[in-house]
Amino acid sequence: MLTLAKPTIEIPKPTKIPEFVLSDQQVATFFEGLSMVNTVALDTESSGSDLRDGTGHTIGFSLAFRPVEVMEPFSAYFPVRHVDFNYDKELITRIMQGLQGKTLVMHNAKHDLVALDRMGFPWNGPFMDTMLMAHMIDENLPNKSLDYLARRFTGEHKERSRAMQAFIDAFGWEFLPAEMVAEYGEHDALITLLLFEYLTTFWKQEGLDSYWDKPEGAEFTRVLAEIERTGVRIDPDFINSEIAKGRFLMDDIADTLGLNPASTKELGELLLERLHLPVVKETPAGRPSFDKKTMEAYDELLSGLGNPVADHILSFRGWQKVVSSTYEPLLQLVSSDGRVRPNFKIHGTVTGRLSCERPNLQQIPRSSTHDWNGGTKRAFIADPGWALINFDYKNLEFRLAAAYANQPELLNIFNSGRDVFSEMALSLGMSRQDTKTLVYTMLFGGGVNRIATVFKISDQEARDKLEDFYFKYPELRKANKIAQGIVRRKGKIQLWSGRYRHFDAAEQASHKAFNSMIQGGAADIVKRQLVRVHHSLNPSEARIVLT
């Protein structure tokens, strides 16, 4: 196979010192100012490839600080690995030494910490993350990007010239001249500093300094960066075979049904006209809706029909999802070392649970009897001489709910190590599986309508089921009501770890209060224990590769 060599791009060396370069006097002033401050904003620029797998590298960094409260901030860009101009390693080393003992402020510190490490200057000192500060102050903000937050709270915005963008589009970040990046990078550090100054007041008002000092705060960011750098190995042969199998079966199902289930129009006609299922939801225009959430409801309805057409649709949709959402992204995003490194987002959910993207490895289906996802975990393999071991909490969120509510019967079962759902099933006169389904439907905020849909019963039957549950376990209802009252009064509720869950429309959203305490509280338990486990392991013997 013919392999084309990567084109060599010659960037002319500057014939004179670029304007952004600090003079000897300015360098002296910089170090004098640096010695006066405790907090320095930092922003890094990279070559565009992944820093975590070693294919990318840091090309420069910017610093910004305010020597005196009433003084204009100082900001500067320091190129370290550009193709045309870089500062001497000696100066960069002096700067890094001058930062010791200070608090670095970064926006998305998980990235910048890796960037510093790739430069050869790992940061072990204290740091703040304006992205996570904004998230913890108000997790309902629609966007946590530096540009959005800076525009909203400081009136500033990220600056990238048209010439710079055109150069990036043509050649990528790796070949950007230092002078072209300097103004852009310097400004990013500056607006990070301004954003930090704005957020600090609200941060202190909510007492978040103490949360940040706990393992689930700053240290968890470090650990998560290390988990991402490690990555998880995948089996491309198995994945390719499953993709081929899935595509063959989907084509076969489409032929059998005489339609394309991937077509919303054709699938809608089959659901409503051939299977006579109800219209679950309508669009604003009054037409039947088949969006993602609605299709989840239809999947539940289909699973209860027990006829071949319904089974074919479920199989098609199952294979369609696992091929497009799991197997193909794994092959697209694997690094040259055979490992996949997803992006775990600490700020990705309002409750504080981690979310995951590129690819999403937090929704890998558990082993099941379904052909399409029964063996999905086989896509992940251990390195030679190693083994993959999976750990999970048992009933974590339900245990936390029982503890918050102080429900004695449930606490007794949990503390004795007995099976909680088996004993509850006897008390409620239900099967174990139905009992488990009811508990988690309620814990995740489901009311009468949701219970009716899940169990395929009338609203009145769902209401009776709910009332019977709360009659047997009244302290759970009481805890729920107390949490709702707190949210209606304060617009927020505090978790055991010290941070808050905020609500924009407290009255309308108060029913989510107890669920938020449980989900958010459980998330912080997991974060704390991941840090504990990470620090207790010898990396040559065991490492965390996924969460």
Side-chain angles (χ1 to χ4, degrees), residues 313-334:
I313 298 171
L314 287 171
S315 181
F316 184 97
R317 286 177 48 74
W319 277 109
Q320 182 185 38
K321 181 176 181 180
V322 77
V323 167
S324 64
S325 300
T326 302
Y327 291 138
E328 290 179 340
L330 285 172
L331 295 181
Q332 292 162 2
L333 297 167
V334 65

Side-chain angles (χ1 to χ4, degrees), residues 389-437:
I389 304 174
N390 183 64
F391 294 90
D392 194 9
Y393 271 96
K394 186 176 181 180
N395 313 131
L396 174 57
E397 293 183 349
F398 193 21
R399 288 172 186 263
L400 193 55
Y404 269 127
N406 196 25
Q407 183 69 54
E409 299 90 340
L410 297 179
L411 291 175
N412 179 264
I413 295 171
F414 282 130
N415 291 333
S416 67
R418 306 196 304 272
D419 183 74
V420 67
F421 293 118
S422 295
E423 298 202 21
M424 291 179 73
L426 291 173
S427 175
L428 294 168
M430 299 167 59
S431 71
R432 184 185 183 281
Q433 184 56 49
D434 282 354
T435 301
K436 187 175 181 179
T437 300

Side-chain angles (χ1 to χ4, degrees), residues 302-314:
L302 288 166
S303 64
L305 290 181
N307 71 50
V309 173
D311 292 343
H312 280 319
I313 298 171
L314 287 171

Side-chain angles (χ1 to χ4, degrees), residues 225-403:
E226 191 58 37
I227 292 172
E228 288 186 10
R229 288 180 65 179
T230 300
V232 62
R233 192 180 183 90
I234 65 169
D235 184 345
D237 293 335
F238 170 79
I239 293 170
N240 277 311
S241 70
E242 289 297 286
I243 290 174
K245 178 181 177 181
R247 287 174 177 163
F248 173 82
L249 290 173
M250 284 189 285
D251 287 342
D252 188 53
I253 290 170
D255 289 341
T256 301
L257 294 176
L259 56 83
N260 179 14
S263 163
T264 301
K265 181 178 183 297
E266 294 183 46
L267 180 60
E269 290 173 355
L270 186 149
L271 294 174
L272 303 180
E273 297 175 16
R274 286 175 57 180
L275 295 177
H276 306 293
L277 295 179
V279 175
V280 173
K281 178 184 172 184
E282 291 186 343
T283 66
R287 298 186 183 91
S289 171
F290 300 101
D291 61 21
K292 181 180 178 182
K293 207 70 178 166
T294 307
M295 284 309 303
E296 290 175 4
Y298 276 117
D299 286 344
E300 291 177 0
L301 293 172
L302 288 166
S303 64
L305 290 181
N307 71 50
V309 173
D311 292 343
H312 280 319
I313 298 171
L314 287 171
S315 181
F316 184 97
R317 286 177 48 74
W319 277 109
Q320 182 185 38
K321 181 176 181 180
V322 77
V323 167
S324 64
S325 300
T326 302
Y327 291 138
E328 290 179 340
L330 285 172
L331 295 181
Q332 292 162 2
L333 297 167
V334 65
S335 294
S336 58
D337 61 359
R339 310 178 79 83
V340 169
R341 294 170 173 84
N343 177 35
F344 288 104
K345 296 168 68 175
I346 304 174
H347 65 292
T349 69
V350 292
T351 60
R353 300 173 78 183
L354 284 178
S355 67
C356 184
E357 63 180 8
R358 296 186 54 78
N360 183 357
L361 297 187
Q362 286 200 148
Q363 292 185 343
I364 299 302
R366 297 180 181 182
S367 299
S368 75
T369 57
H370 294 310
D371 188 33
W372 56 86
N373 62 13
T376 318
K377 287 186 177 180
R378 289 172 57 196
F380 305 97
I381 56 175
D383 289 328
W386 293 66
L388 286 177
I389 304 174
N390 183 64
F391 294 90
D392 194 9
Y393 271 96
K394 186 176 181 180
N395 313 131
L396 174 57
E397 293 183 349
F398 193 21
R399 288 172 186 263
L400 193 55

Side-chain angles (χ1 to χ4, degrees), residues 65 147 178:
F65 53 83
D147 187 42

Side-chain angles (χ1 to χ4, degrees), residues 412-469:
N412 179 264
I413 295 171
F414 282 130
N415 291 333
S416 67
R418 306 196 304 272
D419 183 74
V420 67
F421 293 118
S422 295
E423 298 202 21
M424 291 179 73
L426 291 173
S427 175
L428 294 168
M430 299 167 59
S431 71
R432 184 185 183 281
Q433 184 56 49
D434 282 354
T435 301
K436 187 175 181 179
T437 300
L438 177 62
V439 166
Y440 283 108
T441 299
M442 294 167 58
L443 286 183
F444 281 89
V448 169
N449 292 339
R450 182 62 181 159
I451 292 171
T453 301
V454 169
F455 286 94
K456 303 177 183 63
I457 56 179
S458 68
D459 283 357
Q460 185 56 53
E461 289 173 311
R463 197 171 288 108
D464 293 343
K465 194 179 287 286
L466 195 60
E467 285 301 317
D468 185 45
F469 179 90

Side-chain angles (χ1 to χ4, degrees), residues 36 56 59 126 160 162 347 377 514:
M36 300 167 61
I59 59 175
R160 184 182 297 176
R162 290 185 178 180
H347 65 292
K377 287 186 177 180
F514 192 52

